[in-house]
Amino acid sequence: MATASTELPNPSRLSVRQLTKSFPGVRALSGVDLDVRAGEVVAVIGENGAGKSTLMKILAGVQTQDEGEILWDGHPVWFANTRQAMKQGLGLIHQELNLCDNLNVAENLFLGNYPGRGGWINFWSMYRRARQSLEKVGLKVSPRLPLSALSLGQQQMVEIAKALSIDAKVLIFDEPTSSLSNAEAEALFRLIEELKSRGVAIVYISHRLAEIMRLADRVFVLRDGQNAGMLQRAEITHDRMVQLMIGRDVSKYYVRRSNVVGDEVLRVEDLRTNAWPQHSIRFQVRRGELVGIAGLVGAGRSELLRTIFGIDRAVSGNVVVSGESLKRHSPQLAMEAGLGFVPEDRKKEGLILESTIVRNVGLAGLLRNAHWGGWLNRGKEIADTRQAMNDMRIKTPSPWQLVKYLSGGNQQKVVMGKWLALSPQVLLMDEPTRGVDIGAKQEIYQLMEGLAAEGRGVLFASSELEEIIGIADRVLVMHEGRLAGEVSGDQITEQAIMQLAIGGSL
Ligand SMILES: Nc1ncnc2c1ncn2[C@@H]1O[C@H](COP(=O)(O)OP(=O)(O)OP(=O)(O)O)[C@@H](O)[C@H]1O
Ligand SMILES: [Mg+2]
């Protein structure tokens, strides 16, 4: 522990002692201690795979520990399932969304807990309460909308609203901001501060250290499933946290070398997306270039990338890769032409969760690894996978591990590895570093840079301005479905990007 504990007036609301949990081949937690008091925000940080989510799932009754105990107001408790935990007043906002796509917003909010009596659902009351819950988190959508109509960030807010619908005494947030816009995140921070002032005990997990500095009263650091230290409010600094997490210094920002920019490798001509058919979009990306797409949430960045890759239907327009125009808009043709795509929602589009890492990395490489006889080169597939696991430091016992058992950040690395194995001419990336730890972030930036240095193009959307400013050669800024402007070189400043993003001009 970093400091001697000072006696504080209020005792722990929730504490764990010597918690241990193993999975086949992995010791996820060993002898972990943690405690949180009423009216306190405790942050838990650590690299991808350090054991954060596992610890939270055990607290919330989703999983069971092998050893160790959990105390509630000093008394041992054990939750057999999340329902029991919620009854006691403990809510968990999952890292990976836990909602049903085919239900509407209100149904998701009250799933398993519908207002009503004797098996009848009182719809009037359900929608009224749903509106109140949504209002609490500042989400302005109709509770009757199907969940699938919401952006990832909005879905995240529904998940939060759901956790708040209980009379919570302890709330656990597992990377709540990874898919939120700045404004949504800001609303969440205010909400957390309000909950804190009402005496709720809060456990907060994030890879964004600036958030931790803003919110946390204390920070617990996990490393390889063990306590690596605890920081009191006054000791919380960026460098101190990084050091405890990974035991080495990592610079805060990535500073790019600039590459020789070559010929055009991607051209988008008069593209009209289904979401914003009134705007025609045109731009190009050259070899050796890292082009960022900035914009507020809902500005149409994801739609643009998805339409270029052929997942979403284009209303009209042309995509030209290395001088050849795609005949149709389809992911298959896009891949054959040399495009790769790292999607925003890895769970839905990036990965086959029920399959192994080898299969997942191999999938995108299918084209490349198939012999002319049509046989798959298994050896190559496994070599590619090992390479990816090595490059990206994917933490897991073997390439045959099922992807669903990887930690969130490690799953993101598998998606990256899958596309790097294909070495596309142009890699399209939507939020490439979502949920990855600070060390792996730098590695992903280096891999992007490596692609550019090999004369390939990279086009990436990100809501982290820092990231865009740090690594892009050129930034396309979107506003309500159109390209509002472009900045490059020294012009790339937060001010210029924001100005364009809100619809202004430079
Ligand atoms: N159900 C499971 N089966 C096998 N291994 C698992 C399972 N759940 C988690 N693990 C492993 O336990 C370790 C800890 O995972 P955990 O999800 O707790 O990490 P984390 O700290 O939340 O990481 P991240 O920052 O990437 O979300 C990882 O090595 C992970 O692969
Ligand atoms: Mg996690």
Side-chain angles (χ1 to χ4, degrees):
M1 291 286 142
T3 44
S5 63
T6 41
E7 235 17 85
L8 275 166
N10 59 343
S12 304
R13 157 104 326 142
L14 184 69
S15 55
V16 303
R17 285 203 201 132
Q18 293 298 303
L19 217 62
T20 294
K21 173 81 180 175
S22 293
F23 298 108
V26 186
R27 188 141 213 214
L29 297 172
S30 75
V32 171
D33 294 330
L34 176 87
D35 70 289
V36 57
R37 309 178 186 113
E40 181 187 43
V41 177
V42 156
V44 179
I45 61 174
E47 285 187 287
N48 294 133
K52 304 177 297 292
S53 296
T54 304
L55 176 57
M56 301 313 146
K57 285 181 198 160
I58 293 173
L59 285 177
V62 181
Q63 286 174 349
T64 310
Q65 70 268 36
D66 300 336
E67 283 164 45
E69 61 177 358
I70 304 173
L71 305 173
W72 186 283
D73 289 336
H75 305 291
V77 277
W78 183 74
F79 305 127
N81 50 46
T82 41
R83 248 252 206 37
Q84 282 185 9
M86 281 169 76
K87 230 171 157 181
Q88 179 88 21
L90 185 147
L92 168 64
I93 291 107
H94 284 265
Q95 177 174 14
E96 305 291 336
L97 294 172
N98 225 3
L99 304 168
C100 298
D101 257 357
N102 52 347
L103 297 179
N104 74 22
V105 171
E107 287 162 341
N108 265 292
L109 280 172
F110 298 107
L111 192 64
N113 188 22
Y114 289 113
R117 245 182 227 188
W120 294 94
I121 299 175
N122 182 341
F123 283 101
W124 184 81
S125 151
M126 179 169 93
Y127 286 111
R128 187 177 49 88
R129 281 175 48 189
R131 267 188 296 275
Q132 289 169 350
S133 295
L134 296 175
E135 209 162 278
K136 246 196 248 171
V137 298
L139 184 58
K140 293 180 191 73
V141 299
S142 156
R144 290 173 196 271
L145 269 182
L147 190 81
S148 53
L150 271 53
S151 74
L152 215 52
Q154 291 173 324
Q155 294 187 17
Q156 178 71 49
M157 294 311 274
V158 172
E159 176 106 19
I160 292 169
K162 182 172 178 161
L164 289 178
S165 68
I166 62 168
D167 179 23
K169 297 193 175 67
V170 178
L171 276 176
I172 302 174
F173 294 85
D174 194 351
E175 282 190 53
T177 52
S178 67
S179 47
L180 297 187
S181 67
N182 283 341
E184 285 167 332
E186 204 44 54
L188 175 67
F189 298 155
R190 280 196 300 271
L191 192 71
I192 287 179
E193 263 145 22
E194 187 203 315
L195 289 163
K196 176 177 154 171
S197 69
R198 295 212 315 252
V200 178
I202 289 158
V203 181
Y204 189 88
I205 297 176
S206 177
H207 288 292
R208 300 189 179 171
L209 301 183
E211 291 176 1
I212 307 272
M213 290 201 267
R214 160 157 182 191
L215 291 173
D217 295 305
R218 286 186 299 151
V219 175
F220 281 82
V221 186
L222 289 183
R223 190 149 110 210
D224 290 329
Q226 295 178 323
N227 286 98
M230 196 258 283
L231 300 172
Q232 302 282 357
R233 177 83 209 159
E235 303 167 311
I236 303 173
T237 64
H238 179 274
D239 293 352
R240 198 85 186 84
M241 288 192 280
V242 172
Q243 233 173 17
L244 287 175
M245 272 194 294
I246 55 187
R248 65 190 157 97
D249 288 325
V250 172
S251 73
K252 200 164 173 181
Y253 303 107
Y254 185 71
V255 185
R256 267 210 81 207
R257 298 191 303 268
S258 57
N259 287 313
V260 186
V261 173
D263 299 339
E264 166 192 294
V265 63
L266 171 71
R267 187 164 75 243
V268 171
E269 297 173 333
D270 292 324
L271 193 72
R272 290 173 193 272
T273 65
N274 210 8
W276 305 89
Q278 66 275 41
H279 298 304
S280 149
I281 291 178
R282 58 162 58 230
F283 66 90
Q284 28 101 318
V285 175
R286 289 180 295 168
R287 296 190 176 277
E289 238 188 344
L290 291 183
V291 178
I293 309 178
L296 304 177
V297 160
R301 294 168 300 173
S302 298
E303 286 83 357
L304 175 60
L305 289 175
R306 295 165 55 90
T307 310
I308 296 174
F309 194 63
I311 296 175
D312 289 354
R313 193 175 68 87
V315 173
S316 68
N318 218 355
V319 174
V320 184
V321 185
S322 316
E324 282 203 38
S325 178
L326 299 188
K327 288 187 194 64
R328 265 183 303 114
H329 296 286
S330 89
Q332 180 66 31
L333 286 185
M335 275 171 65
E336 283 170 23
L339 286 184
F341 179 54
V342 176
E344 178 183 25
D345 190 347
R346 58 178 171 249
K347 224 173 155 186
K348 251 193 234 143
E349 288 158 351
L351 291 170
I352 303 179
L353 292 171
E354 298 296 330
S355 197
T356 63
I357 302 175
V358 176
R359 264 320 304 236
N360 273 280
V361 172
L363 268 184
L366 269 184
L367 290 168
R368 204 182 68 153
N369 292 338
H371 279 317
W372 32 266
W375 293 98
L376 200 61
N377 183 344
R378 291 273 171 219
K380 180 85 185 66
E381 202 178 54
I382 291 165
D384 277 353
T385 307
R386 288 202 190 276
Q387 181 74 44
M389 287 173 59
N390 203 27
D391 285 350
M392 315 277 316
R393 298 202 209 179
I394 297 172
K395 214 189 129 196
T396 178
S398 101
W400 288 277
Q401 178 71 293
L402 295 185
V403 167
K404 67 174 173 187
Y405 295 141
L406 295 183
S407 75
N410 281 311
Q411 289 181 356
Q412 180 69 11
K413 296 185 201 171
V414 173
V415 183
M416 281 286 299
K418 158 178 153 178
W419 287 105
L420 289 170
L422 188 62
S423 45
Q425 294 299 317
V426 184
L427 189 59
L428 313 173
M429 310 169 93
D430 199 356
E431 302 291 349
T433 62
R434 197 184 134 211
V436 307
D437 64 48
I438 189 158
K441 248 185 184 173
Q442 308 288 325
E443 278 148 31
I444 288 179
Y445 296 154
Q446 263 161 35
L447 289 164
M448 291 165 73
E449 160 103 30
L451 281 175
E454 285 172 21
R456 300 168 196 281
V458 177
L459 177 64
F460 72 102
S462 171
S463 18
E464 277 186 67
L465 267 186
E466 247 174 42
E467 174 166 298
I468 293 215
I469 294 169
I471 62 171
D473 297 308
R474 193 149 62 85
V475 183
L476 309 174
V477 187
M478 296 190 72
H479 173 71
E480 296 187 352
R482 66 183 170 90
L483 271 190
E486 184 183 314
V487 285
S488 59
D490 294 342
Q491 282 182 300
I492 305 181
T493 61
E494 184 168 339
Q495 213 185 1
I497 295 174
M498 284 316 292
Q499 185 67 16
L500 291 169
I502 57 173
S505 53
L506 291 182

